[in-house]
């Protein structure tokens, strides 16, 4: 917002209403327009890898807004706006549709058949239409539910607005979607509570990875989460792995899956296709070796 407010220097000296609300309404209208046309929104895809051999196991879809005047706006900035201004349901439905369209296209092109994981916002979990939006999308695009994973941030588990979360997660898993808890370790959910939830995967938040291997407290937390997850039969994927030292620590600690800049940055679908598919062919899968880091 500093950038948006900073466009007109004199705004700083105006009353609070002008400085904060007027620019925000402008950007909300821009977002409404972007949703109506769909043209400024994009999903970028970041690979998820096995630590041992670097092999690709899935993709996370990350939302991008290419604003015609302000350039790329981070989802961290515009998702809260969408939630506050009643746009989250349509934004969430756009993500579901776009990820499924991409998955359908990748299957046609002969890309390796791996799940694309989308982020589901808290509001989508609180409201009831998520399941119907998912089933409609799966049918429209002819994609099997196991190829669309759902990442739900840990804080949603403890948010009263979500009501009893276990039956919601059960319904999503019954549709066939794998379910992961995102940003795990930041939300204070208890281990006993986790045991009751139907889950496939924990995504260890990158704040615990950043200072590895030097930080003893973070190292202890990561080891404890890995031990607990083994006991609960949950997969763990470490987020935000940027260095070989972090990777080596995680490998020695028994972590199996990773995602991070060391392996791949989020990229638009066409960039991924160009790298994975042999030039000039309508399909193929010879690029599997290219995903290996080691
Ligand atoms: P997240 O789901 O935890 O996504 C991971 C974030 O970490 C992404 O940021 C990704 O680009 C970034 N990242 C990946 N590897 C590394 C790394 O090695 N180092 C560092 N420093 N960062 C890394 P991004 O794309 O800016 O997304 C931020 C957050 O916005 C996401 O966090 C998610 O909570 C939210 N978000 C993104 N797309 C969507 C969406 O389609 N729907 C909803 N509801 N939320 C979304
Ligand atoms: Mg995520
Ligand atoms: Mg995360
Ligand atoms: Mg995160």
């Amino acid at each position: 917002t500093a950038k948006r407010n900073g466009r007109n220097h004199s705004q700083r000296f105006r009353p609070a209403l002008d400085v904060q609300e007027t620019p925000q309404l402008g950007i909300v209208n821009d977002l409404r327009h972007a949703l109506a046309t769909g043209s400024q929104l994009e999903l970028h895809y970041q690979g998820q890898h096995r630590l041992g051999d670097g092999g690709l196991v899935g993709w996370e879809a990350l939302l991008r807004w290419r604003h015609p005047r302000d350039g790329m706006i981070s989802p961290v900035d515009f998702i809260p706006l969408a939630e506050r201004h009643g746009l989250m349901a349509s934004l969430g439905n756009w993500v579901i549709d776009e990820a499924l369209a991409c998955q359908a296209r990748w299957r046609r092109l002969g890309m390796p058949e791996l799940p694309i994981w989308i982020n589901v916002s808290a509001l989508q979990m609180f409201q009831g239409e998520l399941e119907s939006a998912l089933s409609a999308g799966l049918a429209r695009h002819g994609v099997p539910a196991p190829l669309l994973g759902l990442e739900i941030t840990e804080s949603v588990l403890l948010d009263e607005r979500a009501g009893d979360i276990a039956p919601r997660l059960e319904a999503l898993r019954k549709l066939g979607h794998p379910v992961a808890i995102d940003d795990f370790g930041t939300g204070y959910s208890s281990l006993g509570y986790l045991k009751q939830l139907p889950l496939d995967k924990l995504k260890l938040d990158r704040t615990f990875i950043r200072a590895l291997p030097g930080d003893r407290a973070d190292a202890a937390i990561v080891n404890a989460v890995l031990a607990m997850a083994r006991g609960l039969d949950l997969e763990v994927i470490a987020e935000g792995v940027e260095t070989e030292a972090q990777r080596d620590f995680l490998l020695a600690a028994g972590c199996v899956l990773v995602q991070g800049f060391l392996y791949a940055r989020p990229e638009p679908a066409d960039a991924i296709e160009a790298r994975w598919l042999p030039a000039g062919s309508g399909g193929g899968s010879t690029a599997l070796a290219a995903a290996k880091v080691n």
Side-chain angles (χ1 to χ4, degrees):
T1 54
K3 188 181 165 197
R4 291 195 291 268
N5 293 339
R7 270 199 316 272
N8 180 350
H9 202 70
S10 66
Q11 278 181 343
R12 274 217 244 145
F13 304 103
R14 288 184 193 165
L17 187 79
D18 266 12
V19 175
Q20 284 169 0
E21 298 201 0
T22 304
Q24 198 179 72
L25 281 182
I27 207 82
V28 170
N29 281 334
D30 291 351
L31 185 54
R32 223 170 249 132
H33 174 75
L35 270 168
T37 63
S39 58
Q40 298 161 20
L41 298 172
E42 296 170 21
L43 288 181
H44 287 194
Y45 299 88
Q46 184 179 31
Q48 303 179 329
H49 297 259
R50 275 190 305 268
L51 261 163
D53 62 4
L56 189 70
V57 297
W59 310 93
E60 179 174 7
L62 294 157
L63 187 55
R64 299 288 180 264
W65 179 14
R66 205 181 285 277
H67 192 282
R69 189 192 54 229
D70 293 353
M72 275 296 191
I73 302 181
S74 164
V76 175
D77 291 327
F78 69 85
I79 284 171
L81 266 192
E83 293 204 325
R84 269 205 300 285
H85 295 272
L87 298 175
M88 195 57 228
S90 19
L91 193 56
N93 290 342
W94 186 89
V95 169
I96 290 169
D97 193 69
E98 180 68 15
L100 286 170
C102 180
Q103 185 60 282
R105 174 178 158 79
W106 283 0
R107 295 181 85 207
R108 278 198 306 277
L109 289 173
M111 294 272 289
E113 193 152 294
L114 298 170
I116 290 176
W117 294 77
I118 58 170
N119 290 282
V120 174
S121 88
L123 271 193
Q124 285 174 285
M125 286 304 289
F126 306 152
Q127 295 163 350
E129 338 157 17
L130 181 60
E131 287 88 337
S132 55
L134 287 167
S135 336
L138 294 171
R140 191 163 52 248
H141 294 285
V143 170
L147 291 180
L148 188 74
L150 307 175
E151 296 191 0
I152 296 159
T153 193
E154 190 192 16
S155 57
V156 171
L157 300 183
L158 299 179
D159 195 312
E160 286 162 1
R161 288 172 296 171
D164 191 357
I165 200 83
R168 292 299 308 281
L169 297 179
E170 197 61 74
L172 296 171
R173 286 242 314 219
K174 227 162 139 197
L175 279 177
H177 297 287
V179 175
I181 295 304
D182 206 350
D183 310 319
F184 183 74
T186 61
Y188 310 103
S189 59
S190 77
L191 308 186
Y193 183 49
L194 269 191
K195 188 183 90 170
Q196 304 165 17
L197 297 176
L199 296 172
D200 301 281
K201 205 180 263 191
L202 301 179
K203 298 196 76 179
L204 190 49
D205 193 70
R206 74 165 184 268
T207 52
F208 302 110
I209 308 300
R210 191 179 299 140
L212 294 179
D215 189 294
R216 287 186 59 217
D218 285 338
I221 290 168
V222 168
N223 278 315
V225 169
L226 288 169
M228 173 204 71
R230 268 192 294 275
L232 294 176
D233 246 340
L234 290 170
E235 287 192 294
V236 173
I237 179 162
E239 295 188 313
V241 176
E242 296 182 351
T243 70
E244 298 195 350
Q246 291 165 347
R247 180 193 59 195
D248 293 345
F249 175 93
L250 289 164
L251 193 57
C255 185
V256 177
L257 301 173
V258 278
Q259 185 179 338
F261 296 165
L262 178 64
Y263 288 77
R265 292 197 174 246
E267 291 178 300
D270 55 0
I272 286 170
E273 288 160 23
R275 200 148 32 75
W276 277 79
L277 299 168
S281 90
S285 54
T286 56
L288 265 172
K292 302 200 171 179
V293 164
N294 300 338

